[in-house]
Amino acid sequence: MKLYELSLSEGRNVSPFVWRARFCLAHKGLEAERIPISYHDKDQLVFSGQDRVPVLVDGDMVVSDSWKIACYLEEAYPERPSLFGSAAGQGTGLMINKFCDHVLLGSMFLLCTPGTYDVTQDEDKPYFAQSRWEWTGMTIEDIRSMEAEALKRVRSSLEPIRQTLAEQAFLSGDTPAFTDYCVMGGFMWARTTYAPQVLEPDDPVEAWRQRMLDLFDGMGRKTLSLEA
Ligand SMILES: N[C@@H](CCC(=O)N[C@@H](CS)C(=O)NCC(=O)O)C(=O)O
């Protein structure tokens, strides 16, 4: 198996979508060779018919999009630990995936984009700034000036997650599964691009985040991060 992933300066793995895929692979006990891609060499992804990572190659199968990768792994490796638990769990997983994309990552975007720019290779900085300006009408410095508001928005968007984690160890219940990996992708983006603490130390989300960092032999904890 091969996993094409975003790799910024010093090999930093910032992509929340790639982190979702890496956690899903680890949950299934599968290993993939990791192929680093930067913004300037996305032509390496042409074979996948699109230009985003993650892309998983498993034999003849080419799967792009983190949600499709999770569904592919669940279907192709049913004998391994389930990511969703049931068909109903998979249905709810899609809703969580959309919540993460639109609400959680929407607020994380403002917090993590300036730091992502800072760790982007110099040759890619103009592309990165221009593409974000086209999406939002804001320069990187405009976005950087919104840090305090962004932090408030992230903390507030986490309220349903916070209340869930006050009652159970993981979002999926007693043990982690897809929902946890999907949300954790956002926190891995923050860990690799935003130095201050996103969460208060007594926030139940912070205790969960620490548990998530310990999973799979500390996979998330070991990555090059900006956290103290
Ligand atoms: N819906 C896709 C989103 C993938 C995506 O946007 N990946 C980003 C990395 S975080 C990317 O490839 N960006 C390339 C670019 O901005 O040019 C998924 O869930 O995998």
Side-chain angles (χ1 to χ4, degrees):
M1 272 192 194
K2 289 184 181 169
L3 184 71
Y4 289 78
E5 62 177 33
L6 188 64
S7 176
L8 300 184
S9 62
E10 300 171 88
R12 286 169 199 273
N13 300 130
V14 307
S15 166
F17 307 107
V18 171
W19 277 107
R20 288 180 197 172
R22 285 185 63 188
F23 275 107
C24 288
L25 280 161
H27 180 95
K28 287 277 180 191
L30 296 166
E31 281 195 20
E33 180 193 352
R34 294 164 54 199
I35 317 278
I37 295 282
S38 305
Y39 295 111
H40 61 267
D41 56 13
K42 289 196 297 180
D43 54 348
Q44 284 193 59
L45 301 175
V46 166
F47 75 93
S48 71
Q50 53 87 61
D51 68 348
R52 305 259 140 179
V53 288
V55 176
L56 180 73
V57 178
D58 187 13
D60 292 342
M61 278 302 295
V62 175
V63 192
S64 52
D65 186 89
S66 57
W67 169 251
K68 289 191 183 140
I69 290 171
C71 294
Y72 167 75
L73 293 175
E74 188 73 345
E75 200 183 324
Y77 297 94
E79 73 288 1
R80 291 177 178 249
S82 174
L83 285 163
F84 302 113
S86 65
Q90 186 158 350
T92 311
L94 179 59
M95 191 280 282
I96 296 294
N97 196 78
K98 300 289 181 196
F99 165 82
C100 287
D101 287 357
H102 295 279
V103 181
L104 183 57
L105 292 188
S107 56
M108 288 270 189
F109 176 87
L110 293 175
L111 204 61
C112 299
T113 291
T116 306
Y117 174 81
D118 295 343
V119 299
T120 290
Q121 291 92 332
D122 286 345
E123 66 186 303
D124 289 334
K125 280 188 158 87
Y127 161 76
F128 185 87
Q130 173 69 20
S131 56
R132 273 54 189 174
W133 187 81
E134 283 166 13
W135 295 354
T136 63
M138 289 189 280
T139 65
I140 299 297
E141 293 319 309
D142 289 339
I143 299 174
R144 207 185 294 275
S145 70
M146 296 172 69
E147 179 185 343
E149 172 59 22
L151 190 56
K152 241 196 275 174
R153 273 177 61 178
V154 170
R155 287 182 175 169
S156 149
S157 67
L158 288 169
E159 193 52 32
I161 288 171
R162 183 173 294 116
Q163 290 191 21
T164 304
L165 292 169
E167 293 188 35
Q168 58 192 42
F170 293 97
L171 296 168
S172 304
D174 293 338
T175 56
F178 175 79
T179 300
D180 296 271
Y181 309 138
C182 195
V183 173
M184 189 60 186
F187 282 101
M188 291 308 300
W189 188 14
R191 181 171 167 80
T192 49
T193 61
Y194 184 74
Q197 288 300 304
V198 175
L199 301 164
E200 300 286 359
D202 62 349
D203 189 328
V205 186
E206 175 59 12
W208 164 86
R209 191 182 73 98
Q210 294 296 334
R211 287 195 286 279
M212 294 297 292
L213 288 172
D214 288 338
L215 292 180
F216 312 123
D217 200 21
M219 181 176 79
R221 202 178 286 287
K222 282 179 194 157
T223 201
L224 191 56
S225 86
L226 294 186
E227 265 187 62

